[in-house]
């Protein structure tokens, strides 16, 4: 696969008294991946900054060595899609029988979209930089808002077309958040130094619009019978989609369980079967009972970095962290009891039995899902 990329770039920088700074950038990018009439797009940006520490009232401060306010507004583009995405690609892995002989064939593998164009993100940012004690301590804080339009996604098409999806510009989403960075010079001599950096980022994402039908599904891994991820208006990208597991049916609920049919195969439920939340109350566990059950995006993430230097030797220790994100255990897609697929999980030792009914692990059965 080959693709070509062509860019034109220009920038103007202006500084007044080394205190008031202006940067204006203009660029035009073109990619062969997009439709014939949309290969090029224009991406401008502008940034302003005020070095407050250069003002007379702070110029001779022994405490504040740097203080700068800055803001920016700009548009960027995304072309991270496979080559030939706007074209119909032929597949040659088809076969047909003619005169009792199997012959190879070629078919259209993907639908063409001559209107495919750049995905664009408009971002605004307000930030502050503070340096203390001749920059032995420095701090940066940024607040940003990003809106992405013309998102490049595989949108569903009617099954009567013979295809499942087509790559389109189908919607928009927003990202807003805060980024904080603290740098310290802990030790500095001619032969020895120790620097520390700590940063944290917090981002909140939300889908604003999509094509119709709006929900876009994705199967997250092998051995799943349905989609495990969903892109939905009003929800963040990376949302997990599935059934809510409540535990198992016990003997006291036998009559109630008999009124339900299970998700796999339409079987009548029995004590020992997994109990799922019946969202719509129709006494059947179906795709209609699936809902958003988590999100893989962290609430915050960052790094803690220490850099040590002794003469010409340098040691860097970096610890990265994140928290607040859900994790999907793909291996549990077929349950704890792996049977013929692989060894079972240790949790099956706590599986449902008539003597062990208060457990979330289903009864081990060879003939039931």
């Amino acid at each position: 696969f080959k693709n070509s990329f062509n860019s034109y770039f220009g920038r103007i920088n202006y500084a007044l008294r080394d205190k008031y700074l202006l940067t204006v950038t203009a660029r035009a990018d073109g990619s062969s991946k997009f439709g014939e009439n949309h290969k090029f797009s224009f991406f401008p940006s502008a940034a302003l900054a005020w070095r407050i520490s250069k003002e007379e009232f702070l110029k001779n401060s022994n405490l504040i060595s740097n203080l700068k306010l800055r803001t920016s507004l700009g548009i960027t583009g995304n072309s991270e899609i496979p080559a030939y995405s706007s074209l119909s690609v032929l597949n040659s892995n088809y076969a047909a029988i003619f005169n009792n002989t199997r012959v190879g064939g070629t078919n259209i593998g993907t639908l063409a979209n001559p209107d495919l164009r750049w995905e664009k993100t408009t971002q605004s940012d307000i930030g502050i930089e503070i340096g203390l004690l001749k920059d032995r301590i420095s701090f940066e804080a940024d607040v940003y808002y990003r809106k992405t339009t013309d998102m490049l996604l595989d949108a569903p098409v009617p099954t009567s077309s013979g295809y499942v999806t087509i790559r389109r510009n189908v919607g928009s989403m927003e990202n807003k958040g805060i980024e904080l960075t603290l740098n310290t010079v802990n030790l500095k001599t001619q032969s020895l130094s120790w620097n520390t950096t700590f940063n944290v980022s917090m981002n909140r994402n939300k889908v604003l619009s999509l094509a119709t039908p709006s929900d876009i599904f994705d199967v997250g891994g092998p051995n799943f019978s349905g989609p495990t991820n969903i892109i939905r208006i009003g929800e963040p990208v990376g949302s997990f989609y599935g059934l809510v597991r409540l535990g198992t049916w016990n003997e006291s609920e036998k009559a109630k369980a008999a009124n339900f049919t299970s998700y796999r195969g339409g079987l009548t439920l029995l004590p020992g079967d997994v109990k799922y939340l019946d969202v719509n109350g129709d006494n059947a566990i179906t795709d209609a009972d699936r809902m958003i059950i988590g999100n893989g995006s962290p609430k915050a993430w960052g790094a803690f970095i220490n850099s040590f230097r002794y003469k010409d030797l340098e040691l860097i220790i970096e610890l990265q962290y994140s928290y607040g994100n859900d994790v999907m255990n793909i291996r549990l897609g077929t349950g704890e009891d792996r049977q013929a697929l692989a060894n079972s999980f240790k949790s099956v030792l706590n599986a449902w039995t008539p003597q062990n009914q208060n457990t979330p692990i289903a009864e081990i059965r060879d003939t039931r899902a």
Side-chain angles (χ1 to χ4, degrees):
F1 292 94
K2 295 182 179 181
N3 65 87
S4 58
F5 196 90
N6 192 11
S7 295
Y8 300 90
F9 178 88
R11 173 175 291 170
I12 297 175
N13 294 310
Y14 178 76
L16 178 61
R17 299 177 183 175
D18 200 28
K19 293 188 292 187
Y20 312 107
L21 311 175
L22 171 66
T23 299
V24 178
T25 304
R27 63 180 298 158
D29 294 326
S31 173
S32 62
K33 299 176 181 179
F34 297 107
E36 188 64 32
N37 299 323
H38 302 281
K39 294 190 182 298
F40 273 88
S41 194
F42 180 61
F43 306 105
S45 65
L48 290 169
W50 176 26
R51 284 180 175 157
I52 305 175
S53 54
K54 294 290 185 177
E55 298 289 353
E56 291 297 327
F57 58 87
L58 283 179
K59 198 170 185 180
N60 298 317
S61 173
N62 294 323
L63 175 63
I64 300 176
S65 51
N66 177 47
L67 178 59
K68 182 167 71 173
L69 289 175
R70 47 183 167 75
T71 183
S72 62
L73 176 65
I75 302 174
T76 57
N78 175 31
S79 62
E80 294 303 312
I81 54 176
Y84 319 121
S85 289
S86 66
L87 306 175
S88 290
V89 178
L90 299 179
N91 288 341
S92 58
N93 57 343
Y94 292 90
I97 303 298
F98 290 98
N99 296 325
N100 295 323
T101 302
R102 185 180 184 274
V103 295
T106 300
N107 194 12
I108 297 177
T110 59
L111 292 173
N113 182 6
D115 294 323
L116 196 66
R117 58 189 179 274
W118 284 81
E119 177 180 293
K120 294 184 177 181
T121 298
T122 302
Q123 176 169 330
S124 56
D125 180 281
I126 298 176
I128 186 172
E129 299 177 12
I130 302 174
L132 304 175
L133 304 174
K134 297 182 179 181
D135 290 338
R136 292 291 295 262
I137 301 174
S138 60
F139 175 76
E140 293 185 27
D142 286 272
V143 179
Y144 64 86
Y145 178 83
R146 291 197 298 260
K147 183 177 180 180
T148 302
T149 58
D150 294 332
M151 290 193 303
L152 294 165
L153 295 172
D154 291 330
V157 295
T159 55
S160 58
S161 67
Y163 297 86
V164 179
T165 62
I166 182 173
R167 182 157 288 131
R168 294 175 54 195
N169 301 92
V170 295
S172 62
M173 69 176 177
E174 68 174 15
N175 286 275
K176 51 187 176 182
I178 301 174
E179 296 178 343
L180 307 173
T181 301
L182 176 65
N183 296 293
T184 60
V185 180
N186 308 312
L187 179 64
K188 187 176 182 180
T189 66
Q190 186 174 358
S191 59
L192 181 64
S193 67
W194 170 26
N195 298 334
T196 298
T197 297
F198 175 78
N199 59 67
V200 58
S201 298
M202 292 171 281
N203 181 76
R204 298 296 178 264
N205 170 273
K206 183 168 70 172
V207 178
L208 300 177
S209 65
L210 290 172
T212 302
S214 60
D215 290 345
I216 297 178
F217 299 96
D218 180 41
V219 176
N223 303 322
F224 281 94
S225 61
T228 56
N229 295 75
I230 186 173
I231 300 176
R232 172 175 286 176
I233 295 174
E235 301 292 341
V237 173
S239 295
F240 298 142
Y241 186 71
L243 300 172
V244 176
R245 186 166 170 171
L246 301 178
T248 54
W249 293 96
N250 56 48
E251 289 287 356
S252 64
E253 300 173 304
K254 184 174 183 179
K256 186 177 180 180
N259 292 326
F260 277 78
T261 54
S262 70
Y263 180 73
R264 300 177 187 273
L267 298 172
T268 300
L269 294 176
L270 298 171
D273 283 328
V274 175
K275 181 196 293 185
Y276 294 107
L277 178 64
D278 183 19
V279 175
N280 57 9
D282 64 352
N283 289 349
I285 305 303
T286 66
D287 277 333
D289 297 304
R290 290 179 175 266
M291 58 188 297
I292 292 177
I293 56 177
N295 186 269
S297 300
K299 294 181 179 179
W301 67 94
F304 180 58
I305 306 169
N306 283 277
S307 175
F308 304 90
R309 183 189 60 83
Y310 177 70
K311 294 184 178 181
D312 293 331
L313 299 176
E314 187 175 22
L315 172 65
I316 298 177
I317 301 175
E318 179 174 347
L319 301 176
Q320 297 183 0
Y321 68 92
S322 68
Y323 85 95
N325 59 297
D326 298 307
V327 177
M328 179 186 295
N329 190 339
I330 294 180
R331 295 185 63 196
L332 287 175
T334 54
E336 290 82 4
D337 179 23
R338 309 293 291 179
Q339 294 190 10
L341 294 176
N343 290 333
S344 298
F345 291 95
K346 183 179 179 180
S347 55
V348 300
L349 298 177
N350 188 37
W352 189 98
T353 66
Q355 295 77 33
N356 184 37
Q357 296 196 29
N358 296 320
T359 173
I361 312 302
E363 181 182 8
I364 307 304
R365 299 184 177 121
D366 293 333
T367 59
R368 294 181 60 85

